[in-house]
Amino acid sequence: MTPRTLPVRRLLGRLARRAARAGRPGRAWTVPAAVLAGAVAGGAYGLLSTPEYAATSYVVVVPGEGSDPAGAMGLAQAYGKVATDVALTGDAAVWARVSPATLRASVAAATSPDAPMISLTARSDRPETAAAMADGVARALVQKGAHTQASTRVRVVQFSRATTPTSPASPSAPLAALVGAAGGGLLGGLFLLVRPKRGTAAAGGAAADGGTAAEGGAPADGGGARGSAAGSGAGSGGRGAAVPGPAVKGASQAGTA
């Protein structure tokens, strides 16, 4: 490789790298593209997913005569934890006309921290089924409280029946699109944080080019210098120019002697 071909190869390599970078999308378009993709995905999910309805029924634990109100609070917490189990042992699934597995997966119980009240929320793709499941679990808790009233000295009373929902509780298409856009923007920002910067890659490529040129140019320059020295020695017609330095020195010493 001659010294003249090195700049040409470096120039071609830089042009190829710039062409490859020009084909990639800019960093400024990463976050907007991620936001748009997330909005489209969220909107499609909101449109294609089955709407879900939620209905809630409430029961309250009332302390009996001579019982401690704090005991009613503790029993309300206990009933809330075993609400679905109590409903499964009773006839709640039969009343709601669903399977026990569906009842367990669709009903969630929550207790109030400042009152002996339990909320029973059921979710279903049909509003009537959601209301029937919530009321069925509440009815099962009332029956359980009546069976254990002699030992616990508290009563479980249904405080409010579940009403049939008229609108779905699942997110609508605009809300799902908004959530998807926010998630897409977050992912796009994270991608920019973990992606290596172009300046660092360009500096590494320049350093590699410089190292290649230095390694390839030194032997060529040295060879050219040696060729120039040999040519000048041959043009001068000196006898000692064609032999190495130590031989010339030895020949000079022999002539002097």
Side-chain angles (χ1 to χ4, degrees), residues 85-189:
D85 296 333
V86 171
L88 290 178
T89 56
D91 297 329
V94 178
W95 297 328
R97 298 179 180 180
V98 294
S99 64
T102 302
L103 184 70
R104 179 185 291 273
S106 303
V107 179
T111 56
S112 175
D114 52 0
M117 182 177 290
I118 307 171
S119 63
L120 305 166
T121 303
R123 293 179 176 270
S124 176
D125 55 352
R126 293 185 298 177
E128 297 82 4
T129 303
M133 286 192 295
D135 285 337
V137 176
R139 184 177 175 183
L141 285 180
V142 171
Q143 287 185 352
K144 180 66 175 179
H147 294 160
T148 59
Q149 182 177 357
S151 58
T152 59
R153 292 188 297 178
V154 296
R155 293 185 300 112
V156 180
V157 181
Q158 187 169 6
F159 183 76
S160 175
R161 292 179 58 87
T163 58
T164 303
T166 57
S167 60
S170 55
S172 59
L175 181 59
L178 181 61
V179 174
L186 178 60
L187 292 179

Side-chain angles (χ1 to χ4, degrees), residues 27-44 173-192:
R27 294 171 63 90
W29 292 97
T30 301
V31 175
V35 170
L36 180 60
V40 172
L175 181 59
L178 181 61
V179 174
L186 178 60
L187 292 179
L190 293 177
F191 174 76
L192 290 180

